[in-house]
Amino acid sequence: MTSEPIAHGTAPDTLTYGMEPQAELPLFSPRDHGLAPAPIAQRWIRRTYWGLFVACLVLALLYAATTWRDQRQILFGSLDTSSSFLVSATQSYFQGYSSVLEATGSDLEDKADLLQHPEVLQILLERRQALLPGALSVNVVSMDGRLLGTSLRSDNLPDLRHYPDLMEALVRLRALPLKNGLIIGRPLIGPLLGEWVIPLVREIPAGQSHPAFYVIAAVSTQTFLQQSLANTALPYKGIAAVLARNDGYVLARWPAPKSKAFYASPQQGVFAQSLIDHPAATSAHYDGWVAADGLMRMGSWQRLQTHPELAVAVSVPSSLLWTQYLHTIWPPMVGLVFLLLLLTVLYRYANGQIVREQTQALAQQQRLRTLAITDPLTAVGNRTLLRERLEVALETAWTHQGQFGLLLLDLDGFKQVNDAYGHSAGDTLLRETAQRLQAILREGEIMARMGGDEFAVLLTEGFGGEAAAEAAAQRILAVLRQPFDLGVGRQASISVSLGCALYPEDGGDAETLLRRADLALYAAKSAGRDRYLRFKADFEREAQRQKHLVESVEAALQQGRLSLRYQPIVAIGGDPTRPAVVGVEALLRLQSEQAEEQVASDFASVLDHGRLARAIGRFVLDQALTQGALWRAEGLDLHIAVNISAEHLLAPEFMDDLHQALRNHPGFPASGLVLEITESAPLRNLEQARQVLQECQDLGLGVALDDFGTGSASLTYLQQLPAQSIKIDQSFVRDMVNDPKDFAIVSAVVTAANLLGLEVIGEGAETLEHLSVLAAMNCTLAQGYAIARPLPAEAVATWVQTWVRPAADLRASEFPHEVEVAQRRRVERLQQAVRGEVPFPDHVLEAQAENQCHLGLWLNGQGRLYYGRDPRYGLLIEQHAEIHELARQAKMALDLGDLAAARRFGQDVAELSIIVLDGIRQLSATPERVTPSQD
């Protein structure tokens, strides 16, 4: 597993079709087409706002309508008042005229002779005219139309019979049924005045001394209403007053009409029409077009009580109503508009806040969604997005009776790259892998990272069955076989294993397809990696078998059906005084429910299972240490090697379990326990495995690399892991006598181990010939059926007492020439450094440098094993330590600028190195024979 920092920049999309431009990652699944509903608060605010808005508008309309009605009523009421005043004034005016004309008639009845003297009659009529305001003339006219007298001064009185309009008016007067009151005639043009006048007539019936005649006052149509209006309050500008007859003739109007022919005929305007439409009404209102001035007017009229055939009207322009209406309505309307604006501002602000919050929430949701479906390291889709697209593909394929394929791929060798170059290099490798996959994918092929170094490819649109899946797999295999540039001049070559499951042949739901593609991937890895396999039913059966096996081992552990057997490890070289049996390896056994004993290889595939590894590891530690303490108590000093699974070794609780086991068994020292590990633990996390093993070594435990030679990274482990011994896998030892390749491998491993100071244990020694060959190769320990099969704990003590070391040509190892060459080369480089020819070697100043150089590794390993009891060996150790101390002093002198001292120390190093090498050659010149132990 590698670290996964957040990738910077815009995330490329997960769906890359061939070399087409990348699109954005989908923020929502394809089923989420609709927008999210508005929040409840936003909906309620919107409803409240529009409710208040509509309510305000309705109230405004109601207020406007009510105000219009009220203003109309107020205006009509005011006009009613004005018309009432005008009626009273007009009636008083007519009453005054009637009295004067009646008095004039009475005077003429008493003095009928005046009718024969127009000059005298004129004086009387002038006096009477002075009593009549607004009168233009007062006239006396006979029944037949003769002008008997007038208040106007004129030498010749006109003959009224020559005026048809006057004669027609006299005819109408004679036809009136009631003649005892003031008669108001139609307007006409006065023959003596030449202008429109209103004839006010008083009939004087015939007497004994005179015939009947008329006293007529001619009143100007223009000045008549001025006299009446003088006593009437007119509150409005633009007001007009009208005196009209029921037959439509207008007697007077103020202001005067625009047309002089206005009085000549009945009017058809709205006022006249209202009089005609309401013959029995004493008053009414009207509103419409008026012919006198061509305006829209509204007015109030009332009939005169004294003269019901006449009506007085007062009107104002209709615009006055609008003016008053707007003057009345604008303050509250402005307030209402301000209120609506304020309400709108508040609504928009609140809605804006909610929208901003919703936008921020949506943006946050989108960011979370993007993070949820995006792999942060490679910036492609992750497992979540793949599951969504897989569900969509299932639905589409089911609807259209289609098919699609699912490829799962895992990088081979990624762990080694991570361990060799670090996590940053692993991250670079994963990003480059994602980019390469994107570059080769075609339309309808969807890629995602599942986690770690595992990717998935979904083959959807236009899928051509198994052949198309294999073609896609071959493209992936080819592109990932190309070397990867990891930067800083580093390159790595990896491969990939692929597993495939097809819909609908291999499953009808997402879980089944993923599981079966994973089974195919696991089978591809097990088959040798760097290959593609499609799911087969056998894979699932094997998985079921493994599941059953896990359950069986778990049940055996819980039921106490697990036990340990112990296979001896014996010495076949090295120190002749060393015990022949140095230790045992604890091997796990399982007793089945049918009482059959199963060896560990029968269930080894599940010992590293997450549910079992720790429990079994603790069981093995407890059983081995318990037995070791019992043997120690019996005087049997054996180290015990136990196998620790990778899962348990790398678990955070391992060191706690180890400490607890050692505390529970104080009778067995930590130095007597050896941990055997295979390459599976370092493959998972080399650095963590190194740290754990170093802690174990610090406690005094031994560490052995088991099954050495079978893993691709074994040489790396020799270099980086703290270990004291290696166990050559039995697959090499068993056939090395007959197979030159196995012989060469075993020989090379033994030589490398001797150079590194590691002790070698040859597993699988089944014959004495195996033991002899191993001893000849300087392998010091062996284990196998030629020595003993795994024994019950109670049988070990007896076997140790009866074991006899085989009589074989077992001898001590000679000093390796390679170590001598390496030591001479190191000394030569130091000499060059003190002369200033090359940089000073860094290894000189390293901590424990004397234990890390080639000569130090041999002295502390194979040298101690073979010659540790020889007194000369101790002197060699002291001299070797002095060599390193002299080298440090040379470096200090060189740093101080004392070149002469530095060269002197360098020369001392060279001389002392020659002495040590000569001493080692003398020590190994006559190696002692290893005498078989008789105990």
Side-chain angles (χ1 to χ4, degrees), residues 82 123 149 217 247 255 268 496 540 661 685 731 744-745 761 784 798 920:
S82 297
I123 297 172
D247 56 6
Q268 302 296 326
V496 63
E540 197 158 39
N685 193 320
S731 62
I745 291 173
I761 304 172
T798 302
I920 294 176

Side-chain angles (χ1 to χ4, degrees), residues 280-580:
T282 59
S283 63
H285 299 145
Y286 62 90
D287 187 359
W289 180 78
V290 174
D293 51 13
L295 298 176
M296 297 295 293
R297 285 182 170 273
M298 53 189 302
S300 171
W301 61 264
Q302 294 187 28
R303 284 191 170 92
L304 277 62
Q305 296 177 358
T306 56
H307 297 83
E309 74 280 6
L310 300 178
V312 173
V314 177
S315 67
V316 293
S318 298
S319 60
L320 180 63
L321 175 61
W322 283 102
T323 301
Q324 291 186 338
Y325 173 71
L326 294 176
H327 181 74
T328 304
I329 202 174
W330 79 263
M333 283 302 179
V334 169
L336 180 62
V337 170
F338 178 76
L339 178 62
L340 289 178
L341 289 176
L342 180 61
L343 184 64
T344 302
V345 169
L346 292 177
Y347 166 69
R348 292 180 65 86
Y349 174 77
N351 190 64
Q353 287 294 105
I354 294 177
V355 169
R356 280 190 291 272
E357 292 178 2
Q358 188 179 12
T359 302
Q360 293 174 358
L362 180 60
Q364 180 65 14
Q365 182 182 0
Q366 291 175 342
R367 286 193 293 270
L368 293 177
R369 167 66 177 165
T370 301
L371 292 175
I373 64 175
T374 305
D375 174 59
L377 176 64
T378 60
V380 300
N382 59 8
R383 180 186 296 269
T384 302
L385 183 63
L386 180 77
R387 289 297 298 264
E388 293 179 1
R389 295 307 176 88
L390 185 55
E391 293 292 345
V392 173
L394 284 166
E395 184 176 344
T396 303
W398 184 85
T399 303
H400 299 91
Q401 301 298 311
Q403 56 181 345
F404 64 87
L406 175 63
L407 294 176
L408 290 184
L409 54 124
D410 189 87
L411 304 182
D412 303 328
F414 171 74
K415 184 61 180 173
Q416 288 83 344
V417 173
N418 229 18
D419 293 338
Y421 300 118
H423 292 303
S424 61
D427 294 342
T428 302
L429 177 61
L430 290 174
R431 284 191 289 268
E432 177 65 21
T433 299
Q435 294 173 6
R436 291 190 185 185
L437 290 176
Q438 286 179 327
I440 65 168
L441 293 183
R442 300 174 180 175
E443 185 175 358
E445 298 178 353
I446 303 167
M447 185 267 289
R449 182 185 176 206
M450 303 295 285
D453 58 343
E454 185 175 353
F455 294 82
V457 176
L458 186 62
L459 312 173
T460 56
E461 298 179 9
F463 180 63
E466 185 174 0
E470 184 171 0
Q474 293 302 325
R475 293 201 312 271
I476 295 172
L477 286 168
V479 74
L480 294 184
R481 284 171 182 154
Q482 301 299 319
F484 287 81
D485 184 6
L486 304 180
V488 198
R490 297 177 300 184
Q491 282 192 339
S493 296
I494 62 170
S495 60
V496 63
S497 300
L498 295 102
C500 174
L502 304 182
Y503 174 89
E505 297 95 325
D506 298 333
D509 59 84
E511 289 295 337
T512 302
L513 289 171
L514 284 168
R515 178 170 53 83
R516 292 182 172 176
D518 192 61
L519 289 174
L521 171 61
Y522 179 78
K525 279 194 169 293
S526 300
R529 306 183 178 185
D530 192 23
R531 67 193 61 213
Y532 153 84
L533 287 180
R534 184 196 162 182
F535 170 77
K536 296 180 181 179
D538 293 344
F539 301 162
E540 197 158 39
R541 285 193 290 270
E542 176 62 21
Q544 292 295 329
R545 190 187 72 82
Q546 289 293 322
K547 178 176 177 295
H548 177 70
L549 194 57
V550 169
E551 295 172 350
S552 299
V553 174
E554 190 172 27
L557 178 62
Q558 295 173 353
Q559 297 169 9
R561 291 188 282 109
L562 289 181
S563 59
L564 294 181
R565 294 291 183 266
Y566 300 92
Q567 187 173 32
I569 301 173
V570 300
I572 58 174
D575 189 351
T577 62
R578 188 181 188 184

Side-chain angles (χ1 to χ4, degrees), residues 625-827:
L625 294 179
T626 299
Q627 187 59 51
L630 292 175
W631 285 334
R632 290 277 175 146
E634 296 173 359
L636 187 59
D637 185 9
L638 298 174
H639 75 249
I640 300 178
V642 295
N643 293 279
I644 298 298
S645 69
E647 182 74 19
H648 191 198
L649 182 72
L650 299 180
E653 304 86 1
F654 173 72
M655 292 305 300
D656 293 335
D657 294 342
L658 181 61
H659 282 288
Q660 185 63 45
L662 293 173
R663 283 195 297 270
N664 292 342
H665 304 87
F668 191 82
S671 59
L673 184 64
V674 177
L675 302 183
E676 292 190 1
I677 62 167
T678 61
E679 72 171 6
S680 57
L683 272 176
R684 295 188 187 182
N685 193 320
L686 178 61
E687 180 59 27
Q688 183 182 355
R690 189 193 67 79
Q691 292 178 359
V692 172
L693 293 179
Q694 185 62 54
E695 291 182 31
C696 294
Q697 187 172 332
D698 294 342
L699 288 175
L701 276 71
V703 176
L705 302 180
D706 199 7
D707 298 336
F708 189 81
T710 59
S712 59
S714 295
L715 293 178
T716 300
Y717 298 161
L718 285 180
Q719 181 186 24
Q720 299 188 26
L721 293 179
Q724 291 76 45
S725 60
I726 59 175
K727 302 185 74 173
I728 304 177
D729 187 69
Q730 57 184 332
S731 62
F732 299 106
V733 174
R734 186 181 298 115
D735 296 329
M736 67 178 180
V737 175
N738 300 316
D739 190 337
K741 295 181 179 179
D742 286 345
F743 181 89
I745 291 173
V746 173
S747 177
V749 170
V750 172
T751 300
N754 288 337
L755 290 174
L756 293 171
L758 300 176
E759 192 166 27
V760 182
I761 304 172
E763 287 187 306
E766 298 181 352
T767 66
L768 292 178
E769 189 175 13
H770 287 129
L771 295 176
S772 177
V773 173
L774 287 172
M777 292 180 179
N778 296 320
C779 176
T780 57
L781 299 175
Q783 175 183 353
Y785 284 0
I787 301 169
R789 291 178 177 272
L791 302 171
E794 58 272 14
V796 170
T798 302
W799 184 89
V800 170
Q801 294 173 0
T802 59
W803 163 252
V804 177
R805 181 179 295 182
D809 186 15
L810 306 181
R811 60 186 178 84
S813 172
E814 295 181 357
F815 178 58
H817 177 66
E818 295 84 355
V819 174
E820 182 176 352
V821 171
Q823 176 64 16
R824 291 183 183 278
R825 180 58 188 150
R826 290 168 70 94
V827 172

Side-chain angles (χ1 to χ4, degrees), residues 159-300:
D159 188 354
L160 299 182
R161 288 176 293 182
H162 295 157
Y163 295 93
D165 292 342
L166 291 176
M167 296 308 296
E168 184 180 351
L170 289 174
V171 172
R172 287 195 297 272
L173 284 173
R174 290 193 296 268
L176 291 176
L178 299 176
K179 301 179 180 179
N180 57 349
L182 183 66
I183 300 171
I184 303 171
R186 296 177 181 176
L188 50 84
I189 298 177
L192 300 178
L193 300 172
E195 60 180 276
W196 286 97
V197 296
I198 304 172
L200 302 181
V201 182
R202 185 77 185 196
E203 182 179 352
I204 306 299
Q208 295 178 355
S209 58
H210 63 84
F213 60 89
Y214 300 105
V215 180
I216 302 174
V219 181
S220 174
T221 58
Q222 294 184 357
T223 60
F224 174 77
L225 286 177
Q226 289 181 355
Q227 299 297 325
S228 300
L229 292 174
N231 301 317
T232 303
L234 299 176
Y236 302 110
K237 183 178 180 181
I239 196 168
V242 180
L243 175 63
R245 294 165 54 91
N246 287 338
D247 56 6
Y249 282 93
V250 175
L251 302 180
R253 186 183 188 279
W254 183 86
K258 296 179 180 180
S259 174
K260 294 183 178 181
F262 179 75
Y263 300 106
S265 60
Q267 296 301 311
Q268 302 296 326
V270 63
F271 170 43
Q273 189 63 42
S274 180
L275 290 175
I276 296 172
D277 293 342
H278 303 87
T282 59
S283 63
H285 299 145
Y286 62 90
D287 187 359
W289 180 78
V290 174
D293 51 13
L295 298 176
M296 297 295 293
R297 285 182 170 273
M298 53 189 302
S300 171

